[in-house]
Amino acid sequence: MSLPMIGALVGLMIAVGFAAFSFALSRRVDLDETRKALHVSALIQLIVLPVAGWFVAPALFGD
C-alpha cells in the first residue's frame, strides 16, 4: 500500500470519528441551524481530511 493511500485512510478514520462525534452532538442541540451546521461540517470533513492525508503523509514521511 502506498504512503498517500495510508495517509488518506488515516484521514478518513479521523473524519469518521469526528462525524460520529458531530452527529451525536447534533442530537443534543436545540436549534435546527446549529444541527444543520454540525451535519454540513461533518460531511465536509469526510471529504477534506482524506484528501489532505493523501498529500500530507508523503510530505511528512517522504515517498
Side-chain angles (χ1 to χ4, degrees), residues 1-61:
M1 188 177 293
S2 68
L3 190 58
M5 182 65 73
I6 293 171
L9 288 175
V10 170
L12 181 63
M13 289 190 311
I14 292 170
V16 167
F18 176 77
F21 174 75
S22 180
F23 288 131
L25 182 62
S26 71
R27 286 192 291 269
R28 299 181 57 100
V29 174
D30 293 332
L31 296 176
D32 288 334
E33 294 86 10
T34 307
R35 186 174 293 123
K36 185 174 180 178
L38 287 168
H39 285 167
V40 169
S41 69
L43 294 175
I44 289 172
Q45 296 245 350
L46 282 172
I47 296 168
V48 171
L49 285 178
V51 172
W54 181 272
F55 293 108
V56 170
L60 290 178
F61 302 110

